[in-house]
């Protein structure tokens, strides 16, 4: 079958991969759309990933599609059903799974290699999507499920002052979640000053270009920021997040950090402010809610999805990223 294949670090092309036999308890999904994730770029660059990579492998894990066939014993789905799939599988048997922490499963594996014509997924990872939710929007279920985990950990209360660092694809989802959670004032800190209009459209009250470090410090001195969500993963963004955080603030470092780098933070500054610093790891038990959030129309997905690409264009984008910083890219699988 046709797929966008990673053959080794820095080597992506549209190629042909074998379609595996459908096992008992699996659902074969004909993929409609697959989103490009920052972690796909990490994989391509050969950076450390949450799981080791074996080549060749199809990129992508954020999919929507239609059930093509069901394996033995599957009664919950039938051919033609519209679905999305949680890529993170947990065994249900290890100490973490048994303790309701399946994201830390000792036997976890990725079950969606999504930039391909078909995937075979364990039935427990497949989710029905309602009629009113388009396949295009449903491809946002996985990144949204991850964002819901981060938003839960952030725990915005009505009226709080919230800072969001980084208005990339994740930032455009997160700001809408923060807004709908009742944030009283939202400040967006973003490297690219041309994103100010988008930030305001999505509910930002204040926009600060992250290159203007003094402005961040000034704002933080004047207004106490209760919650901070960092959506980039680089050192600069992490330091901006800590510097804008107010007294008693909770900071969620949502962006995936570079495994080869460390960030020098002042624990004295954190101490003075009594900060709570959290990280957010994947999407435990949040896919069901993600589907419902998307179906509710709560999110303006036109502001999240930047462009649709063909599989060929996606392979080019991986080799030479141009568009990825503007928002979510969806690969239309043909
Ligand atoms: Zn993702
Ligand atoms: Zn487990």
């Amino acid at each position: 079958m046709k797929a966008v294949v990673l053959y080794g670090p820095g080597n992506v092309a549209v190629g042909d991969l074998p379609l595996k036999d459908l096992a008992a308890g699996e659902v074969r999904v004909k993929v409609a759309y697959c989103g490009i994730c920052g972690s796909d770029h990490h994989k391509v660059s050969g950076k450390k990933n949450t799981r080791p990579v074996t080549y060749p492998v199809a990129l992508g894990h954020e999919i929507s599609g239609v059930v093509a066939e069901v394996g033995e014993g599957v009664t919950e789905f039938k051919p033609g059903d519209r679905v999305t799939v949680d890529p993170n599988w947990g065994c249900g048997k290890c100490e973490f799974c048994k303790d309701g922490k399946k994201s830390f499963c000792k036997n976890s594996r990725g079950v969606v290699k999504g930039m391909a014509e078909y995937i075979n997924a364990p039935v427990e990872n497949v989710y029905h999507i309602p009629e009113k939710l388009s396949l295009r929007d449903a491809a946002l279920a996985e990144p949204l499920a991850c964002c819901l985990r981060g938003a839960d950990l952030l725990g915005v209360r009505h009226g709080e002052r919230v800072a969001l660092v980084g208005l990339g694809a994740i930032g455009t989802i997160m700001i809408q979640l923060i807004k709908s959670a009742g944030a009283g004032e939202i400040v967006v800190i973003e490297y690219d000053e041309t994103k100010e209009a988008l930030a305001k459209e999505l509910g930002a009250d204040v926009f600060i270009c992250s290159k203007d470090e003094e402005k961040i410090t000034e704002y933080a001195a004047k207004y106490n920021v209760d919650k901070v969500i960092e959506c980039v993963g680089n050192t600069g963004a992490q330091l901006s997040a800590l510097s804008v955080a107010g007294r008693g603030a909770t900071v969620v470092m949502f962006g995936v950090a570079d495994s080869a780098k460390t960030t020098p933070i002042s624990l004295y500054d954190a101490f003075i402010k009594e900060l709570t610093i959290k990280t957010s790891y994947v999407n435990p038990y949040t896919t069901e809610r993600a589907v419902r959030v998307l179906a509710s129309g709560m999110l303006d997905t036109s502001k999240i999805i930047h462009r649709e690409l063909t599989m060929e264009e996606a392979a080019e984008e991986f080799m030479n990223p141009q568009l990825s910083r503007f928002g979510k890219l969806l690969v239309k699988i043909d």
Side-chain angles (χ1 to χ4, degrees):
M1 64 176 173
K2 191 176 169 185
V4 180
V5 185
L6 176 61
Y7 289 99
N11 183 8
V12 182
V14 174
D16 194 40
L17 287 179
L19 177 59
K20 287 187 191 137
D21 289 338
L22 193 63
E26 282 187 344
V27 176
R28 177 168 292 163
V29 179
K30 184 169 191 342
V31 181
Y33 291 94
C34 181
I36 295 182
C37 178
S39 69
D40 290 315
H41 287 288
H42 284 193
K43 251 183 213 174
V44 173
S45 65
K47 280 182 193 160
K48 205 165 162 187
N49 220 273
T50 49
R51 295 185 195 96
V53 182
T54 8
Y55 309 108
V57 65
L59 286 161
H61 56 265
E62 305 175 352
I63 71 135
S64 64
V66 177
V67 173
E69 198 183 334
V70 297
E72 203 189 308
V74 174
T75 53
E76 298 83 356
F77 296 89
K78 57 179 191 317
D81 285 355
R82 301 158 72 253
V83 296
T84 184
V85 183
D86 174 3
N88 297 306
W89 180 83
C91 72
K93 294 169 186 164
C94 72
E95 61 174 306
F96 292 113
C97 284
K98 284 188 165 167
D99 197 22
K101 296 168 186 161
K102 82 166 179 180
S103 47
F104 304 131
C105 174
K106 286 179 169 174
N107 308 302
S108 82
R109 58 187 171 93
V111 294
V112 177
K113 311 283 179 241
M115 283 174 212
E117 287 175 78
Y118 294 95
I119 58 150
N120 297 343
V123 62
E124 56 270 30
N125 282 59
V126 186
Y127 292 75
H128 286 284
I129 60 170
E131 210 45 57
K132 62 178 171 182
L133 178 56
S134 68
L135 285 169
R136 185 181 144 105
D137 285 357
L140 296 174
E142 193 274 347
L144 173 58
C146 293
C147 287
L148 286 177
R149 173 69 179 168
D152 288 349
L153 291 167
L154 190 66
V156 171
R157 297 185 304 155
H158 281 83
E160 283 187 323
R161 190 175 281 124
V162 184
L164 177 134
V165 184
L167 197 63
I170 289 295
T172 58
I173 296 174
M174 205 62 96
I175 189 174
Q176 298 189 62
L177 293 178
I178 290 163
K179 186 85 185 166
S180 63
E185 180 171 310
I186 298 176
V187 51
V188 167
I189 299 170
E190 157 62 43
Y191 186 82
D192 180 354
E193 59 262 32
T194 66
K195 288 187 180 176
E196 179 166 358
L198 176 65
K200 297 273 167 77
E201 278 165 32
L202 288 170
D205 301 285
V206 179
F207 181 91
I208 303 175
C209 176
S210 61
K211 284 173 258 186
D212 198 345
E213 278 172 48
E214 224 166 86
K215 229 171 165 185
I216 299 175
T217 328
E218 266 169 37
Y219 180 85
K222 203 162 169 195
Y223 305 102
N224 198 69
V225 172
D226 305 297
K227 300 280 159 70
V228 185
I229 182 109
E230 185 280 325
C231 302
V232 184
N234 67 27
T235 303
Q238 290 154 357
L239 293 177
S240 296
L242 292 168
S243 106
V244 80
R247 294 190 180 234
T250 296
V251 181
V252 176
M253 297 294 184
F254 188 85
V256 179
D258 186 330
S259 58
K261 287 191 180 143
T262 54
T263 300
I265 72 167
S266 163
L267 283 175
Y268 180 79
D269 291 348
F271 157 71
I272 290 295
K273 296 199 270 192
E274 203 178 54
L275 294 186
T276 302
I277 302 172
K278 298 179 180 179
T279 58
S280 176
Y281 184 62
V282 301
N283 57 342
Y285 310 102
T286 46
T287 305
E288 187 76 35
R289 285 196 290 145
V291 169
R292 229 173 288 146
V293 167
L294 287 168
S296 75
M298 192 188 297
L299 302 183
D300 182 351
T301 55
S302 72
K303 300 270 186 337
I304 300 168
I305 300 168
H306 175 60
R307 255 175 82 171
E308 270 179 37
L309 304 179
T310 62
M311 289 167 100
E312 286 75 14
E313 286 168 334
E316 273 169 40
E317 173 64 18
F318 281 114
M319 296 305 285
N320 188 13
Q322 300 284 340
L323 308 167
S324 293
R325 57 190 207 87
F326 293 107
K328 180 57 75 184
L329 300 175
L330 294 186
V331 184
K332 196 169 183 341
I333 309 295
D334 37 48

